[in-house]
Amino acid sequence: MLHRPRRNRRAASVRSLIRENKVTADDLIMPLFLVDGKGIEEQIPSLPVAYRRSLDKILKEIKSCIKLGLHSFILFPKIQEKYKDNLGTYSYSTDNFYLKAAKKIKAKFPQITLISDVALDPYSVDGHDGIVVNGQIINDETVAVLAQMAIAQAEAGFDIIGPSDMMDGRVEEIRNALDAAGYTERGIMSYTAKYASGFYGPFRDALDSAPVDDPSVPKDKKSYQMDPANSREASLEAELDALEGADFLMVKPAVHYMDIIRRLREEHMLPIAAYHVSGECAMLIAACEKGWLDYETVMPETLLSIKRAGADVIITYFAKAFLELTKLTKR
Ligand code: PBG
């Protein structure tokens, strides 16, 4: 037999020589959920690896993540009902606690990359990413609000603006608005191929941001998030985002959409970010809790698979847990 591929798998030292992909702290972005208040640290029941935290606890968490080598964070706010309306005006208000928190985070940790979330849903009484009029999510008026939100976030110190809303033309509008306000150096990580997925459930629990149960409001996000059946459409969205000035193209969810990650990786030169979403993390945790899967094996395997599919950047609730685990197993 001339070819025996097993020769290269014989010993751990040989396997590590030929290993093609590796996940490191440099690849990872840690999502954090912010609530107003003090001393708050509540575990999210449907996503037990994540917590809703007030700013004081977030600062502590960021510090302990930095010790593990993490340097990039994406921040999501949970907004109290009293600040919600159907235009998302609180999102760019000067007393918005999310914006104030970003300022404090960047003042304390100037070296980190802090990424924002641009969408109306946490601020919307309707629980939609855009403005709802007569049962429709209206595009252009929403985009104008998103641009205002982006400027307020840049002003607060966010390094990268993350539009997660899937409105048409928002990347260009946000780029122009940022440039006009003097924020030419702030990047845009566009949620390029964001699918209308069932895997966002625990995230909406965490932020209480699901579409409301009201007959005059669409009950799903299918008129703006993409149909899970489509892949050519992802290429179209990616082409538009690249032309509109995006700095990163994101695919979301990650695990169930690895073909899309690979497709965009091959078609574009921009960095590809993959969002390993809440439901994808939750299902893994649940199976491990039942003893049906081994957490220390499948959690790192999942992140590695996302990288192998072609992601440059992985947003995952396991970012910290992964680094804690690799530290342990290296010992
Ligand atoms: C909101 C937003 C969502 C997620 C990120 N930003 C939820 C949604 O679109 O309904 C989901 C992230 C996750 O599930 O981990 N625009």
Side-chain angles (χ1 to χ4, degrees):
M1 225 191 287
L2 286 180
H3 300 286
R4 288 184 181 271
R6 286 186 59 194
R7 279 195 288 261
N8 281 349
R9 292 178 211 137
R10 260 186 61 233
S13 56
V14 180
R15 289 195 293 272
S16 72
L17 277 178
I18 65 152
R19 186 158 298 132
E20 298 171 39
N21 291 287
K22 198 169 179 200
V23 177
T24 74
D26 285 333
D27 306 314
L28 301 174
I29 299 176
M30 176 77 177
L32 295 169
F33 296 120
L34 177 76
V35 288
D36 206 357
K38 235 189 142 190
I40 303 168
E41 190 158 40
E42 304 164 342
Q43 195 176 40
I44 293 146
S46 53
L47 186 61
V49 72
Y51 295 79
R52 275 184 292 254
R53 295 183 173 94
S54 51
L55 178 62
D56 51 329
K57 298 285 184 183
I58 290 253
L59 292 170
K60 284 207 177 104
E61 178 65 4
I62 291 177
K63 194 170 173 192
S64 80
C65 287
I66 290 174
K67 282 201 187 122
L68 289 162
L70 283 171
H71 48 61
S72 296
F73 301 86
I74 187 162
L75 192 63
F76 296 99
K78 182 183 189 308
I79 308 295
Q80 295 175 53
E81 283 307 313
K82 64 177 177 191
Y83 295 127
K84 296 186 184 182
D85 60 23
N86 59 348
L87 296 173
T89 51
Y90 184 69
S91 66
Y92 51 85
S93 141
T94 44
D95 5 280
N96 181 321
F97 78 99
Y98 175 69
L99 301 174
K100 287 188 193 158
K103 235 175 227 163
K104 296 214 171 103
I105 293 169
K106 281 298 292 186
K108 186 140 192 211
F109 306 109
Q111 76 276 28
I112 67 166
T113 291
L114 192 62
I115 304 158
S116 73
D117 183 50
V118 173
L120 256 57
D121 56 336
Y123 307 98
S124 153
V125 278
D126 303 313
H128 274 286
D129 293 23
I131 303 167
V132 182
V133 175
N134 298 329
Q136 305 282 330
I137 286 80
I138 53 171
N139 194 87
D140 301 10
E141 295 79 355
T142 297
V143 170
V145 177
L146 300 175
Q148 257 180 292
M149 203 187 294
I151 293 176
Q153 293 173 350
E155 149 100 71
F158 282 100
D159 301 283
I160 296 181
I161 305 301
S164 68
D165 54 281
M166 288 303 278
M167 297 298 123
D168 292 335
R170 90 279 205 205
V171 172
E172 182 174 7
E173 192 98 353
I174 290 172
R175 184 70 270 158
N176 287 337
L178 289 173
D179 287 358
Y183 297 113
T184 53
E185 249 97 279
R186 308 304 170 88
I188 300 177
M189 181 180 285
S190 175
Y191 290 57
T192 296
K194 177 172 179 178
Y195 286 86
S197 168
F199 288 101
Y200 308 150
F203 177 98
R204 294 179 190 170
D205 293 342
L207 298 187
D208 187 23
S209 63
V212 292
D213 192 13
D214 176 333
S216 67
V217 172
K219 63 180 185 332
D220 59 47
K221 298 189 175 184
K222 290 180 184 165
S223 78
Y224 45 105
Q225 298 181 347
M226 284 174 52
D227 183 340
N230 294 349
S231 49
R232 287 197 310 271
E233 200 181 345
S235 297
L236 171 65
E237 286 285 0
E239 191 182 340
L240 293 173
D241 280 0
L243 289 170
E244 289 180 36
D247 300 286
F248 291 81
L249 303 176
M250 191 196 294
V251 176
K252 179 183 172 185
V255 177
H256 295 79
Y257 294 79
M258 285 192 191
D259 56 320
I260 307 299
I261 296 175
R262 169 58 48 184
R263 187 181 175 105
L264 297 197
R265 166 74 293 138
E266 284 171 359
E267 290 175 356
H268 288 273
M269 293 302 124
L270 285 168
I272 305 296
Y275 200 139
H276 184 209
V277 299
S278 57
E280 293 179 320
C281 294
M283 61 193 274
L284 192 154
I285 296 168
C288 295
E289 275 177 7
K290 274 190 168 284
W292 292 350
L293 293 173
D294 176 48
Y295 178 76
E296 296 191 1
T297 309
V298 297
M299 188 269 274
E301 180 181 338
T302 303
L303 303 194
L304 181 63
S305 301
I306 297 170
K307 177 110 190 241
R308 192 196 60 240
D312 301 283
V313 176
I314 305 168
I315 303 169
T316 177
Y317 302 94
F318 290 137
K320 187 184 182 195
F322 171 80
L323 295 171
E324 284 170 337
L325 188 64
T326 31
K327 217 171 111 188
L328 279 178
T329 47
K330 266 197 191 133
R331 220 175 263 152

